[in-house]
Amino acid sequence: MLSIDFFKKNKIIVEPGEWELKVYYTEDTPEEAFEKLRFFLGRPFKLEKLDTREFSERLEKFILESKEEKEFEETKEFQEKKTVDILSSDSEAPVVNFINRIIIRASRLGASDIHFDPGEKEGLVRLRLDGVLQEFEKFPMGVYPQVVSRIKVMSGLNVAEKLKPQDGRIRIKLGDKEFDIRVSVLPTIFGERVVLRLLDQDTKLLSLEELGLSHEDYKKVERFAKKPYGLILVTGPTGAGKSTTLYAMLLLIKKLFPHKNIITVEDPVEYQVPGIAQVQVNPKVGLTFATGLRSILRQDPDVILVGEIRDAETADISIHAALTGHLVLSTLHTNDAPTAITRLVDMGIEPFLIASCLEGVIAQRLVRKICKFCKEEYPASEEELSTLGISASEVKLYRGKGCENCLGTGYKGRTGIFEVLEVTEELKKIILKTSDANEIREVAKLQGFKTLKEDGISKVLKGITTVSEFIAVLERD
Ligand SMILES: [Zn+2]
């Protein structure tokens, strides 16, 4: 009943006219009603003033004739089908159109989250694009409660409950694409904050070729995937794209060796991969990484993915699985590749065990790519040259000017920067002697190991990303 409520509260009526929309108002129509209307309609309308009696009669007729039935059907549709087809929804309720329009734009821009923030005077819509929150638009606080109610109806939440946090889900149909939106509502002093997370299954599973590895690094990772047994680690902070890399490796292993038995234990299972048995960690029933891993070992696996090695027990079982003929893939929370060895030793793993089973470590970060629609060349400043460690005087760099395709940010999409440590015979000998990351790095460099920084610089010079983005990502550690 949103539209009727809106008309009643604001003492305003919108009707289709011959050429344009007709808006009826009366002497006690509040000034902000026109502002809201301009915002929601987004097209010209013709104003006509009625006296109070005429207005009430018209409003009553309007309510009786048109809307009740239609609105009711629409609400029912959301509850029954559970999939909201937003392109073919021809609702006249302004709030519905407003939310649909934001979801459509957000999805086309490739946003991962939509934030609705209540303020003192204005509501704010922000989008998370390539990991960074960007202001998208503002709207009058007067309609904020209706926006929240509408989202609650769409996601099956309790509209009347305004004091407790709530979580829900919406299934959206956008043309021939269907995806889920996870909804979180949190009460704050100005009103309820809403975050919609767009879970777009088909865009996230990348192949190894698409990750952004240099040719040399790609070859190393391909060799890791072909190993019959051993331990492979992916490291980096949260949000560095570690799972994407692990899944890409699993996809390659599945393609190369279709008969291998692949089992994962994850927290959470982020993407469902057909043909792979995936186990979700659930501490409430005693299913942890460690206990899950023990059970998996009795399932005759060839390849095991352990979401994360967080504790000594999981580290210990993973190492033993790798030593007894399994290929074990996992992640560790370290900033670079050589430090993974230091961390395992700190967790109580004997260096000779690490030396005998560790085959490779991939460290990574995600950087935003320059938007290809507004990319421009410019001469590098002296400061930028010294940051990049380049002594040549005339170097061209690239940046995005900002355009409608990238919401003015100059960036569109992300790619990885990597360092890939292949544990060679020589490195195994070093690991037996020391767990010092600097010493390990220096030996690896002699064998052609390229650091995260070097890979980043090469991506800046190739015009894939900017100097400022590269610096910001490395400084985040
Ligand atoms: Zn652009």
Side-chain angles (χ1 to χ4, degrees):
M1 317 290 159
L2 282 169
S3 61
I4 291 161
D5 265 359
F6 179 81
F7 294 137
K8 273 200 237 168
K9 249 190 232 155
N10 292 288
K11 301 227 185 295
I12 209 156
I13 307 167
V14 182
E15 282 183 11
E18 204 174 341
W19 299 107
E20 55 198 345
L21 293 171
K22 285 198 100 172
V23 172
Y24 298 101
Y25 68 106
T26 180
E27 53 190 20
D28 32 300
T29 302
E31 198 50 43
E32 78 249 25
F34 300 106
E35 185 197 332
K36 286 179 198 164
L37 212 57
R38 265 188 287 276
F39 166 74
F40 281 130
L41 294 176
R43 53 187 162 137
F45 49 81
K46 205 174 170 185
L47 286 171
E48 192 177 326
K49 192 173 177 180
L50 305 175
D51 68 40
T52 321
R53 222 189 80 203
E54 255 182 313
F55 183 84
S56 342
E57 276 172 14
R58 190 152 204 129
L59 183 65
E60 230 167 85
K61 196 168 139 246
F62 178 78
I63 293 172
L64 282 175
E65 269 179 10
S66 54
K67 304 296 159 198
E68 299 260 12
E69 210 179 326
K70 197 168 174 185
E71 291 279 340
F72 174 71
E73 269 172 17
E74 203 197 337
T75 313
K76 209 170 73 182
E77 180 202 30
F78 285 136
Q79 282 159 359
E80 280 175 1
K81 284 203 297 185
K82 282 282 176 198
T83 297
V84 187
D85 186 347
I86 51 180
L87 281 186
S88 61
S89 145
D90 58 350
S91 169
E92 282 165 38
V95 172
V96 174
N97 289 334
F98 171 67
I99 293 168
N100 287 356
R101 181 170 61 77
I102 286 174
I103 294 175
I104 292 167
R105 291 266 344 253
S107 162
R108 292 203 175 133
L109 283 164
S112 59
D113 302 79
I114 307 173
H115 292 223
F116 292 89
D117 278 301
E120 225 172 328
K121 291 190 182 110
E122 278 173 320
L124 178 64
V125 183
R126 290 186 294 175
L127 304 182
R128 190 173 291 283
L129 293 173
D130 302 319
V132 181
L133 212 48
Q134 311 279 358
E135 192 170 312
F136 185 60
E137 62 180 76
K138 288 179 173 154
F139 63 103
M141 263 318 275
V143 297
Y144 195 89
Q146 295 170 52
V147 170
V148 176
S149 296
R150 172 63 190 168
I151 294 172
K152 284 180 178 170
V153 169
M154 288 170 88
S155 49
L157 296 178
N158 183 352
V159 179
E161 177 59 76
K162 292 188 169 92
L163 301 174
K164 285 185 194 156
Q166 296 191 69
D167 298 307
R169 233 179 157 87
I170 314 171
R171 183 139 188 91
I172 290 283
K173 187 162 179 263
L174 224 177
D176 50 8
K177 193 167 111 181
E178 278 198 32
F179 60 96
D180 280 333
I181 296 181
R182 205 173 61 207
V183 182
S184 159
V185 182
L186 180 72
T188 71
I189 50 167
F190 291 127
E192 291 170 285
R193 237 188 142 264
V194 181
V195 176
L196 309 182
R197 164 143 304 176
L198 278 52
L199 305 163
D200 195 341
Q201 287 271 5
D202 27 298
T203 57
K204 300 274 170 63
L205 270 186
L206 298 179
S207 70
L208 207 51
E209 289 90 342
E210 292 165 305
L211 297 179
L213 290 155
S214 68
H215 180 72
E216 295 76 29
D217 283 347
Y218 176 84
K219 286 285 162 200
K220 286 189 214 164
V221 177
E222 199 182 41
R223 283 200 287 277
F224 297 164
K226 287 179 179 167
K227 296 275 179 193
Y229 50 82
L231 176 66
I232 315 288
L233 294 172
V234 183
T235 78
T238 309
K242 298 190 290 283
S243 323
T244 310
T245 302
L246 283 179
Y247 282 116
M249 285 183 74
L250 279 191
L251 289 179
L252 178 67
I253 293 169
K254 224 171 99 59
K255 198 170 111 194
L256 293 172
F257 313 103
H259 301 297
K260 280 196 175 176
N261 182 17
I262 305 174
I263 308 183
T264 76
V265 54
E266 303 170 66
D267 184 23
V269 172
E270 284 178 59
Y271 308 106
Q272 289 162 19
V273 190
I276 291 177
Q278 293 172 282
V279 177
Q280 165 78 52
V281 163
N282 185 356
K284 277 187 207 147
V285 296
L287 181 54
T288 61
F289 278 122
T291 56
L293 197 45
R294 280 212 177 85
S295 306
I296 286 172
L297 285 169
R298 291 188 286 271
Q299 290 271 321
D300 188 25
D302 299 300
V303 181
I304 306 166
L305 185 154
V306 185
E308 190 186 345
I309 297 180
R310 280 180 206 161
D311 54 84
E313 193 188 6
T314 311
D316 191 55
I317 312 169
S318 300
I319 296 273
H320 282 94
L323 286 168
T324 51
H326 308 93
L327 184 65
V328 179
L329 311 178
S330 191
T331 68
L332 260 187
H333 220 86
T334 65
N335 282 341
D336 62 25
T339 310
I341 293 152
T342 321
R343 177 65 51 83
L344 288 175
V345 172
D346 289 347
M347 281 178 162
I349 307 293
E350 294 288 345
F352 77 93
L353 291 179
I354 301 171
S356 29
C357 78
L358 186 65
E359 295 294 339
V361 186
I362 304 162
Q364 71 177 94
R365 298 289 186 284
L366 288 179
V367 289
R368 289 181 295 166
K369 290 195 285 187
I370 297 171
C371 170
K372 63 172 188 252
F373 298 101
C374 59
K375 184 171 173 176
E376 65 175 8
E377 220 184 54
Y378 72 98
S381 70
E382 260 176 52
E383 200 192 337
E384 286 172 323
L385 289 176
S386 85
T387 307
L388 296 172
I390 297 171
S391 51
S393 55
E394 277 174 43
V395 175
K396 297 264 182 244
L397 292 177
Y398 301 85
R399 64 189 169 201
K401 270 186 294 213
C403 69
E404 59 170 10
N405 293 293
C406 58
L407 208 63
T409 60
Y411 296 100
K412 186 109 180 121
R414 283 190 288 182
T415 192
I417 57 174
F418 297 92
E419 61 181 37
V420 182
L421 184 72
E422 190 166 27
V423 185
T424 58
E425 286 308 316
E426 202 178 341
L427 272 179
K428 285 179 194 280
K429 285 182 201 144
I430 302 293
I431 293 171
L432 290 176
K433 282 188 247 164
T434 177
S435 63
D436 183 274
N438 290 327
E439 273 183 59
I440 296 167
R441 187 182 303 109
E442 288 314 311
V443 176
K445 273 182 161 180
L446 296 175
Q447 302 180 341
F449 171 70
K450 293 266 180 300
T451 63
L452 274 171
K453 195 174 170 196
E454 288 168 309
D455 191 41
I457 290 172
S458 108
K459 280 172 175 128
V460 168
L461 294 175
K462 281 183 188 150
I464 296 169
T465 191
T466 63
V467 182
S468 54
E469 173 71 4
F470 159 69
I471 299 300
V473 165
L474 284 191
E475 277 176 357
R476 230 170 270 162
D477 298 346

